[in-house]
Amino acid sequence: MILLIDAGNTRVKWALAAPGAQLGAWTASGAATHADMPQLELAWCEAASLHGIRRIVIANVAGNALRVQLEYVLQRCLPDVTPDWFASVPALAGVTNGYSNPAQLGCDRFAAAIAGHALAPDAPVIVVNCGTATTIDAVTADGVFLGGMILPGLGLMASSLARNTAQLPQIAQDGKLPDGFADNTDDAILSGILAAQSGAIEHACAAHHGAACIISGGAAPYIAPMLKVPYRIVENIVLIGLHAAAN
């Protein structure tokens, strides 16, 4: 079994993949916030006991402090398995990294690009991951990662308005939008941040002619219905990319 770990800025997501399993076909999976590391330790120790884990692949964008925590937990659960720390390289798993400095590309974005190319082979693709930040990236039909955009996620947009504008409230990003223009402040904020996110995605799709749009992340169910382009929602796209790379 391979333990795949996506250590993001807010949560740590993981999945267990059997040898030869299809992409995204997990034997087990889960997620926890950074503060819930004991929960992850219990889950991983149980997975190691039940299934046996021979390899660990980790994408970490949350910094060195979280890396140290993950190393400590994994050493307790799987002392004989040395983790592979996934990093952006010039080429891997059929994807060529077109960044001017390939190592500068966030490893989560590189993994998502690999997943997008694996899920939509022989087609141009826009890969969107809607987490703490929203990333929107373009991959050509022959697997060249062209680059993309990074913008604040829904939660960051909403909290920024609430924090920096005295008269505006903090709003829930999962509220229901009214038809037409908003007639109250909460709906106006929600409408604005959803339009900003969906508009950026549509702009990328228009620039990358004929591209399939794959959207993932915790905010994807709120943003996707706003899109005026065809799309496919895929859960845990970074884990799928790690799986494709590990294969």
Side-chain angles (χ1 to χ4, degrees), residues 20-198:
Q22 291 185 341
L23 296 181
W26 313 129
T27 300
S29 63
T33 65
H34 295 180
D36 290 330
M37 204 59 67
Q39 177 184 331
L40 290 174
E41 182 174 343
L42 287 173
W44 294 342
C45 287
E46 181 180 11
S49 175
L50 290 176
H51 305 290
I53 295 171
R54 298 291 177 262
R55 189 175 177 192
I56 305 167
V57 182
I58 308 174
N60 173 34
V61 297
N64 190 62
L66 185 62
R67 174 171 174 149
V68 170
Q69 286 184 283
L70 291 170
E71 287 176 332
Y72 174 76
V73 169
L74 291 168
Q75 178 63 27
R76 286 167 60 91
C77 293
L78 296 154
D80 299 325
V81 184
T82 301
D84 295 328
W85 294 91
F86 183 82
S88 296
V89 294
L92 182 66
V95 174
T96 300
N97 185 343
Y99 243 38
S100 54
N101 176 3
Q104 189 183 49
L105 175 63
C107 63
D108 57 339
R109 291 173 66 198
F110 190 47
I114 289 171
H117 184 60
L119 294 171
D122 304 318
V125 63
I126 292 292
V127 182
V128 184
N129 199 12
C130 308
T132 305
T134 296
T135 59
I136 306 168
D137 292 311
V139 183
T140 66
D142 55 355
V144 177
F145 175 86
L146 298 177
M149 314 174 196
I150 303 173
L151 56 155
L154 283 186
L156 282 179
M157 281 190 170
S159 62
S160 177
L161 280 171
R163 185 172 59 250
N164 295 300
T165 310
Q167 298 298 319
L168 295 182
Q170 177 71 59
I171 60 103
Q173 65 184 38
D174 58 350
K176 186 178 186 305
L177 276 179
D179 294 328
F181 292 103
D183 61 1
N184 63 83
T185 301
D186 283 10
D187 285 349
I189 294 172
L190 182 58
S191 178
I193 62 179
L194 286 172
Q197 301 275 324
S198 60

